[in-house]
Amino acid sequence: MAEKRPTILQIIPELDTGGAERTTVEMAEAIVKGGGRAIVLANGGRMCSEVEAVGGEMIRFPAATKNPLRILTNAAAIARMIRHENVDLVHARSRAPAWSAFIAARLAGARFVTTYHGIYNEKGRLKRTYNSVMARGDVIIANSDYTAAIVRERYAIDPARIVVVNRGVDINRFERANVAADRLAALRKAWGIAPGRRIILHPARLTRWKGQITVVEAAAILMRRPGYEDVVIVFAGDAQGRQSYVEELEARSTAAGIADRVRLVGHVADMPAALAASEIVLIASIEPEAFGRTSVEAQAMGVPVIATSIGAPPFTVLAPPRHPLDAATGRHVPPGDAAALAAAIEDLLSLKGEDRRAISERARTHARRNYATGTLQRATLSVYDSLLGTRLAGRFAEMAMDSETPNA
């Protein structure tokens, strides 16, 4: 008798941009390659076509609602969908849709998995209850050791239910040798940056906790010094409607006299080219990052990273004092410390010749050894297998081996 083809439903508010969204697409691909059926529920977004391109099924669904009545209505709709589509497992990646998915999975008898993608603020009992849905999975996937520690600290649950699966990077996509010169030239032209000028990249959506203000303050310190006349700061990320914050960043840059050295370029589709064009990548968050995927993507491209010393980036970016200087892939700085950030930028920009090549190669090796997308995909499929008694991970691994075997 043929083994049943498992159906996995992932739910997320939007599929527009971000690490959780990218992981959703990657897992849709892995499920299909492992012999399963992949369904994704989301309001919409630019990544929806990617789900369909990898063989997944995209269903537009009002998953972003936080309205309690609508959450219950959504739960009933998802339960009907689970029964109609013979869904075996529901995987929720955000709190509001997770409540609907949790209720639906229990009503319809499907297994329920969550991924703790973010370190959610817990101010008050109501917020703590709202967040707690992410710890109600049959298995809770934490996207880093740091996140797993937070989950264990907050919830009295069996540690065996928590599985750490680090986010992954598409190694082939983030390969410097695959980025042609014309892509770099096109990006520089679009950003209004002349050839030869050095780019410091801050890739993150424009929101206060991501630390753009600290970056502007650090740039103002650095650019007062001789030898940095060719440095340009690029903020790459959507404002997502935060126009007042954009105006504040522009006003601060103008007041500091560096408006002509700062670019707010919005969403960047060609992130490998953006990283390859950069001297340094900044992760300047003033609140803890649950993972910080961009820090790994940058290192995969051989770009050193300066990250704040909170959350997961201190684990993903190797730097003193945790690691010796000759093993470092970047630097750590205290959150919100513009002077320290300026000094770290100056330090890395001063690296020349063999020192620059060495840190670049260390970063590349570190990312490839520890954070490949295939590792994330296999580990997550193994979680599904443990709950369903299937062998998605084994089939996925077999397909990967077949694709790597040269033709006879």
Side-chain angles (χ1 to χ4, degrees), residues 66-376:
K66 295 181 180 179
N67 181 290
L69 182 59
R70 191 58 187 267
I71 285 173
L72 292 174
T73 303
N74 280 356
I78 295 168
R80 289 193 297 271
M81 192 181 305
I82 290 171
R83 296 186 185 104
H84 184 264
E85 301 293 342
N86 295 314
V87 172
D88 298 283
L89 184 147
V90 179
H91 189 161
R93 298 184 177 278
S94 184
R95 291 164 293 175
W99 276 109
S100 297
F102 170 66
I103 296 167
R106 293 296 180 256
L107 288 172
R111 304 310 297 262
F112 182 60
V113 170
T114 59
T115 292
Y116 221 96
H117 283 286
I119 305 303
Y120 314 115
N121 290 325
E122 296 215 327
K123 296 177 180 177
R125 183 176 298 176
L126 186 62
K127 190 65 176 287
R128 182 177 177 82
T129 300
Y130 176 63
N131 294 345
S132 71
V133 69
M134 300 307 290
R136 293 173 188 253
D138 299 319
V139 173
I140 301 107
I141 296 174
N143 66 354
S144 69
D145 289 318
Y146 173 75
T147 303
I150 294 293
V151 175
R152 287 193 297 269
E153 177 185 318
R154 289 179 176 177
Y155 306 104
I157 58 177
D158 182 355
R161 287 171 54 208
I162 305 170
V163 176
V164 176
V165 179
N166 287 311
R167 284 185 185 168
V169 168
D170 183 338
I171 296 302
N172 292 326
R173 182 169 184 250
F174 290 93
E175 169 58 66
R176 184 177 288 270
N178 294 338
V179 180
D182 60 342
R183 286 166 62 185
L184 298 178
L187 208 58
R188 281 181 171 272
K189 183 177 180 181
W191 293 348
I193 300 174
R197 300 197 75 176
R198 293 181 289 177
I199 295 172
I200 309 298
L201 182 68
H202 184 279
R205 64 185 181 274
L206 300 185
T207 184
R208 194 172 299 276
W209 77 270
K210 288 290 188 178
Q212 286 92 356
I213 288 174
T214 305
V215 175
V216 170
E217 293 171 348
I221 294 169
L222 191 71
M223 291 172 184
R224 294 190 194 107
R225 301 170 184 167
Y228 298 97
E229 296 81 7
D230 63 337
V231 172
V232 179
I233 305 293
V234 173
F235 292 112
D238 278 334
Q240 298 177 321
R242 302 180 187 90
Q243 187 56 35
S244 61
Y245 184 56
V246 172
E247 291 168 0
E248 181 181 353
L249 289 173
E250 292 172 339
R252 284 175 177 267
S253 299
T254 299
I258 59 170
D260 61 330
R261 313 271 293 282
V262 173
R263 305 285 190 277
L264 281 72
V265 300
H267 173 76
V268 176
D270 193 352
M271 276 306 298
L275 294 167
S278 305
E279 299 290 322
I280 300 169
V281 164
L282 307 180
I283 308 296
S285 305
I286 58 175
E287 295 178 15
E289 293 268 7
F291 182 75
R293 184 177 189 143
T294 307
S295 69
V296 176
E297 292 173 344
Q299 290 175 92
M301 294 291 294
V303 184
V305 177
I306 300 172
T308 47
S309 54
I310 53 173
F315 296 90
T316 59
V317 179
L318 309 182
R322 292 190 181 196
H323 301 273
L325 201 58
D326 62 2
T329 63
R331 301 290 185 267
H332 297 159
V333 295
D337 190 332
L341 180 56
I345 294 172
E346 187 172 27
D347 179 23
L348 289 181
L349 286 179
S350 70
L351 297 178
K352 307 295 182 187
E354 186 55 37
D355 289 338
R356 175 73 191 192
R357 285 189 291 272
I359 194 172
S360 177
E361 187 54 35
R362 288 195 300 269
R364 187 174 179 277
T365 300
H366 171 59
R368 277 159 171 69
R369 183 174 293 159
N370 298 292
Y371 300 104
T373 297
T375 303
L376 171 147

